[in-house]
Structure formats: C-alpha cells, structure tokens
Amino acid sequence: MSAQQSATPTVKVNPNAPTEETVLSVEHYTDRLFKFRLSRPPSFRFRSGEFVMIGLHKPDGKPLLRAYSIASPAWDEELEFFSIKVPDGPLTSRLQQIQPGDKVLLGKKPTGTLVMDALTPAKRLYMFSTGTGIAPFASVMRDPDTYQKFDEVILTHTCREVSELAYGEELAAALPDDPLCDEYAHQFRLYNSVTRESYARQGRITDLMTTGKLFMDLGVPPLNPETDRVMICGSMEMLNDTKAICEAAGMVEGSNASPGDFVVEKAFAG
Ligand code: A2P
C-alpha cells in the first residue's frame, strides 16, 4: 500500500441511512394530535398509503426511528404526517416540539399494504380508521388513482372525542379544492363517529357495522365481496374486530403479492 493510500481514511457510507429533512409546517389539533409537513427529497418515491421510518437523533447522536404512515399523496412535493403525542413516548414526546426549520430523519424504504395494488377492482372502497389510523387514508383519498379504480370512496373515522375528528373533517372539506382530486370529490364521503362524548353519531365502527346503521346511514347495501373493498387502520384490537366482520361477509385478505378484497395495517404510535 502506498503512503498516499494509507493516508486516506475509508468512510463507509450506508446507502440506507435516513436523510435529514426540513420541517416546513406544524399544526396542533388537540393536546394528543398534531400534523407536520417535511421537505421531500426528489429521489423519495412511495405509493399512496405506505408508511416509512421517521425520527430524531437521540442526545447520544444515534437515530430514534418509528414507522409512520405518510399522510400526503404520492404526487405531493412535500411529505405530511399525522401523529399522536405520547407524554412519555421516547419519540413523540420530543417530536411534538418540532418547529419549522428543524430537521427530522426520514427513512429511505417506504412500504405497506394499504395500497391500490393490494386490492382487486370493485365498485366501492371503504377505508375504516380510528384515531391516527386515518393517516394512510389521508394519502389514499387525495390520490386520483383511487377514484379511477373505485366509483365510491367512503372514509370512516372514529375517535374518542369530537375534537379528534378535526383532521378528517378538514381533509374532506378541502377535497373539492384539491389540485388533482377536485373532479372526484363527489365520489368521496366521510362518515365519522365518537365513542366517549355526545355527538350526532356515536359508537365504534364495528358496532355501527354489525347493527347495520353504517349502511343505512350511507344508503348502501351491507358489505359484499362482489362490490366492496376494504382498507383498515387502527389499534390492534380494532383491526382484529373489523377484519372478523370482513371475513364474516366472505371477504378475502389481500397483499401486494396477492391482491384481495380487504387489507389491514396497524396504526403506528411513536
Ligand atoms: P372506545 O372509546 O369505545 O374504546 P384508541 O385511541 O384507544 O385507539 O381509540 C380510538 C377509537 O377506536 C375510539 O373511539 C375507540 O372506542 C375505538 N376502538 C377501540 N377499540 C376498538 C375495537 N376493538 N373496535 C372498534 N373500535 C375500537
């Protein structure tokens, strides 16, 4: 080895290491929920509905990353995230304090099953969500591909309290002015409910389905694998209970490798 070679240190560059993105905006909805937008590297590609690792450097310099659904659609120049705030959460206790201009780590490998590719074609798409489980559907409902594949798109959002419905209501209200989905806004409907406060519509989505109230309110027939497809995102218990209802209706779970009638992904809390 020559003197010159030995003087040059070898720097190992990890091609999968997260990039540092800039916080562009932050909006707090309640003391438990907030949304933020990040810069998007030109090379960052994803399908609407996927999740990615995001996070912050710990005080010791090591990255602390959690899986987060991307709430913005694939065509958006920025990346949006909708997050819970866990007071003692290792990541969200710090993430909730970010300000525009701060840096957030963004993983390089988005993935997930709440994507158009994992569902076979049909007439109607249901997106069943609770709490921050609405995030991937904030992406899917703002993607024109969704409306080209399905005539009707129904997003349900159930939260403990009325104030937690604000993000979903804001998304629904903005759809008629969306740059790419405005012409499809008439195909979309938001159906929300609350479980721990009085509200016009109360109850868990699972109960609203089994009693038939959901379908009566919407003026549509009960779940049917011939016409309906389903995406589910919420807590583990909510996923299991909603999945059981889909299976009882004769629906078959799909995946990227084998598209089907319904797909499931848990809401990730950092
Ligand atoms: P509930 O208030 O009856 O528990 P969480 O914040 O705990 O994830 O809950 C968000 C929403 O999901 C709440 O309205 C909650 O209702 C509802 N939920 C919790 N567990 C289930 C379940 N197994 N099936 C359907 N909805 C659920």
Side-chain angles (χ1 to χ4, degrees), residues 133-151:
I134 192 175
F137 305 140
S139 174
V140 173
M141 68 171 276
R142 290 185 279 184
D143 192 324
D145 288 353
T146 306
Y147 302 97
Q148 279 155 17
K149 185 158 180 169
F150 296 98
D151 295 341

Side-chain angles (χ1 to χ4, degrees), residues 151-171:
D151 295 341
E152 275 183 62
V153 177
I154 296 162
L155 168 63
T156 81
H157 190 211
T158 304
C159 294
R160 297 178 186 191
E161 295 172 12
V162 178
S163 61
E164 296 172 332
L165 300 176
Y167 181 57
E169 288 183 332
E170 187 182 284
L171 288 165

Side-chain angles (χ1 to χ4, degrees), residues 48-64:
S48 295
E50 288 190 317
F51 65 86
V52 68
M53 303 301 285
I54 63 168
L56 296 169
H57 284 298
K58 290 188 281 190
D60 67 5
K62 290 187 185 151
L64 174 62

Side-chain angles (χ1 to χ4, degrees), residues 32 130 158-160 195-196 204 206 237-238 241:
R32 290 201 332 134
T130 54
T158 304
C159 294
R160 297 178 186 191
T195 50
R196 301 196 191 183
R204 290 183 170 192
T206 41
E237 295 74 27
M238 179 272 192
D241 292 352

